[in-house]
Amino acid sequence: MELRLIRNATLSLDYAGRRLLTDPFLAPRHSLPSFTGRSSNPLVELPVPAAAVLAGAELTIVSHRHADHFDPLAQELLPKATPIVCQPGDADAIRRLGFADVTPLTGELTWRGITFAPVPGAHGSGDVLAEMGPTMGVILRAPGEPTLYWTGDTVLTPTLLDAIERHRPDVIVTHSAGAVWGAGTLIVMDAAQTIAVCRAAPAAVVVAVHLEALDHGTVSRADLRAAARATGITDDRLRIPAVGEALRLVRPDHRPGDAATQARA
């Protein structure tokens, strides 16, 4: 599997001979409003033109419909025949945008040899959780590939830890910016919660994304790396890719030594 971080939660996954795209967010730098008054969003530009992000994508996963996960430009540019997998409550709204092949992930789904399974997320807590609405993570499995758990926008929850215990993922992708909403309510994982995921899955490689892209984030890549090292989490256990960086990740029984190999795009 090759995982390339495009920006924020947008990933290009070459998995089981197919190219998948997650949460396409294609807006130009500083073209959208601020969440906090600190800066217009997004904070950084795409590493390649928007059309190149979409090129070759055979299926798109939309975890939820917030603008930083499926923005108007992505809705316009993504070919309307592209298969989309989404959480059940979003299917009708995505169809109304003109997309013809939309599948709500209500349970396990197999598409061209890849099995997808949903894991509910918690995009905050208290009153903020209701304001943010539902979101989902996804487990991916395919013969010969590492089992991948993309958590989506969620804080650390018993449901997330149970999914790790039940599915035993080889790779876990976390959203780790420590983004906050309202009076400082955490709506995705921060450094401490990301480290807790590493500890809950000691055999897995954790890949932290959704960093340094939006102005309501509170955790930088440097912050997360320093916190991880301070608690004994090694750099090969916690990967923190830069925008545009690609990681080649393999099943544990295919790894040379203890670490997956890494390549920069």
Side-chain angles (χ1 to χ4, degrees), residues 94-120:
I94 293 173
R95 292 186 186 111
R96 285 195 294 270
L97 295 170
F99 293 95
D101 187 355
V102 181
T103 303
L105 197 59
T106 57
E108 283 200 354
L109 166 72
T110 299
W111 173 85
R112 299 186 181 182
I114 303 171
T115 298
F116 303 84
V119 181

Side-chain angles (χ1 to χ4, degrees), residues 116-138:
F116 303 84
V119 181
H123 201 355
S125 58
D127 293 341
V128 166
L129 181 57
E131 184 179 355
M132 292 291 103
T135 187
M136 72 170 183
V138 181

Side-chain angles (χ1 to χ4, degrees), residues 19 47 58 133 142 167 189 191 228 232 260:
R19 176 159 293 178
E58 299 173 82
H167 294 281
M189 283 183 262

Side-chain angles (χ1 to χ4, degrees), residues 6-7 10 25-29 44-51 53 73 243:
I6 303 301
R7 183 183 61 189
T10 307
F25 175 41
L26 305 181
R29 180 175 182 257
V44 295
E45 191 53 272
L46 292 170
V48 295
V53 174
L73 186 57
V243 168

